Amino acid sequence: MEWKKLLCEDRVRNYKSNSSKDFRTEYEKDYHRIIGSASFRRLQDKTQVFPLDNSDFVRTRLTHSLEVSSFAKSLGQNIAKGIIREKKDSAFLSEYQGYVCDILQCAGLLHDIGNPPFGHFGETAIRDWFQGHLTEINYQRENGRVQPLSEILTPQMQADFCHFEGNTQALRLVAKLHYLVDEYGMNLTKALLGTIIKYPGSSLEIKKNAHIRHHKMGYYYAERELFEDLQISLGTQGNRHPLAFVLEAADDIAYKTADIEDAVKKGCITYEQLVRELRNYGEKLGGEQREPFERLTDSLESKYKRALQRGLQCPETNAVQNWAVYVQGWMINDATESFLENYDALMDGSYGAQGEDLFTGTDGEAMMDALGDIAYRYAFQITPILKLEIAAQQMIDFLLEGFVQAALYFDTDRPLTEVQKKMMSLVSDNYIAIYRQFARRADSSGQEASQKEAEKLYLRLLLVTDHVCGMTDSHAKRLYQELNGIGL
């Protein structure tokens, strides 16, 4: 791969501003498109760890995305300067430094924009619902034959729903669903779109024990043409864009430190428990990993002693907050060094063959693993969160059931019931406009009638997931209550 193509500033619907007074790069224009979008604003009411939380301290998807954006830009600055300083690549021009930073800053803002309500559990709930219903829901075809959805949809269409991913939805959202001018969505630069594709493969290419790029899907069947266009324009040839590794590292730094900080603030884990967990984890390490891990743990205790000396009211919380910042700086340095050390493998697409990321083999790898494990046990597996996740499952199941039944025969000759008509009237006009745009393309595609019918059915099911994913936590909860007559 080569940077001249990887940093492609073209857009799917290309245009160039004729204004002689606009000195912004194309990537800087991307930033303003994202910041001004309703989809980005909705992240303020989507959960990070604690759904529907009333605290103004814990992270939402919005604050998390801002943090990831900041870390990604910092990593971009370090890596770009390192490439030039260490003469890693003579084709990496000096002006590319700014481009890399701008792309990563934007990618950080976008990386969670496709997530459904209720965090990662929302993704699981959607996957579980389709896995359990595609064989159960019958559909009467145009020829009168009644078949389950699983016999009508192609294997890839089915797998798209059964392996639903917020990352995949993010590409669809920014490239199509943000309908302001036309069906090209935000019409962002191809370099940015390539960077947010974490797993450059279809839902049929998922292999858990293979190259990291195959661990999940990266695009829907509906975006297959866009994906192919990006591969050609960026020269990635089915590989991860190198900046996707950087974005992933920024996300890991942000959520693994933030989850611990939020958990301490919420009282899920005490300072003393955190220190004890870290010490126990460090004792199990051997070789070169133990010394840097213990140094990081020592720094937590030293920050606590300093907070005590300052007479702070909550020295434990202060120590953890300061320590999180310290760990973040350490991890930024680790990821930077890792990118530069593995530069050739990242550029030829071979890096990640064993599932490795930018922290693999670094001094901070063990700490990142420990933080993830501690947060999972103390923050994600506690009774209040488990209760909320069970409630979230009920809400998403109800919404999917109602909207799927309404959408099955929407835009067909078969009449809808009055309730189904009302359900469809609740769906975003923008999303319906996108459905109609691509349904017309399917009609004029030259496919056989049965193939057209299957593709339009698939698009209607996507219309449902688009609508549900666009909901905030509060909106999903409120709509569930209203449609069930709760609180009326």
Side-chain angles (χ1 to χ4, degrees), residues 7 17 23 177 188 206 259 314 335 375 402 416 447:
L7 301 178
S17 173
F23 300 105
L177 301 183
L188 303 170
I206 298 172
D259 287 354
C314 298
L416 304 185
Q447 301 178 92

Side-chain angles (χ1 to χ4, degrees), residues 7-30:
L7 301 178
C8 178
E9 65 177 20
D10 292 345
R11 305 174 190 274
V12 178
R13 173 176 48 76
N14 229 343
Y15 81 98
K16 292 290 183 181
S17 173
N18 295 320
S19 173
S20 60
K21 297 180 181 179
D22 191 347
F23 300 105
R24 296 175 298 166
T25 66
E26 294 302 311
Y27 319 110
E28 288 170 329
K29 293 174 185 175
D30 282 347

Side-chain angles (χ1 to χ4, degrees), residues 138-147 152 409 414 453:
N138 290 321
Y139 180 82
Q140 185 173 352
R141 308 194 68 163
E142 292 173 358
N143 60 12
R145 184 181 179 187
V146 176
Q147 291 178 276
I152 301 173
Y409 298 104
R414 182 164 172 171
E453 186 180 19

Side-chain angles (χ1 to χ4, degrees), residues 132-262:
H133 286 79
L134 286 179
T135 57
E136 296 177 355
I137 298 176
N138 290 321
Y139 180 82
Q140 185 173 352
R141 308 194 68 163
E142 292 173 358
N143 60 12
R145 184 181 179 187
V146 176
Q147 291 178 276
L149 297 181
S150 58
E151 293 182 9
I152 301 173
L153 302 176
T154 67
Q156 185 176 351
M157 291 174 182
Q158 293 180 61
D160 283 357
F161 296 110
C162 293
H163 296 285
F164 173 85
E165 276 295 323
N167 288 321
T168 308
Q169 186 70 18
L171 177 66
R172 177 169 171 78
L173 175 63
V174 300
K176 288 183 180 176
L177 301 183
H178 188 76
Y179 194 95
L180 281 181
V181 178
D182 52 29
E183 69 273 21
Y184 297 110
M186 292 187 192
N187 198 33
L188 303 170
T189 58
K190 293 183 178 181
L192 176 53
L193 294 179
T195 299
I196 66 172
I197 298 176
K198 194 172 181 180
Y199 306 101
S202 75
S203 55
L204 295 179
E205 299 174 83
I206 298 172
K207 301 172 187 174
K208 292 295 183 183
N209 296 318
H211 195 292
I212 195 170
R213 67 174 178 261
H214 294 306
H215 286 190
K216 298 177 182 179
M217 69 168 171
Y219 68 94
Y220 295 128
Y221 171 79
E223 278 69 65
R224 63 196 182 281
E225 294 176 359
L226 169 64
F227 179 77
E228 290 302 322
D229 178 37
L230 292 173
Q231 297 304 293
I232 294 169
S233 297
L234 299 170
T236 43
Q237 301 174 331
N239 296 308
R240 260 192 183 185
H241 194 297
L243 296 185
F245 281 96
V246 183
L247 176 62
E248 180 181 50
D251 187 23
D252 287 345
I253 293 169
Y255 83 78
K256 289 194 175 181
T257 54
D259 287 354
I260 292 294
E261 187 181 351
D262 286 354

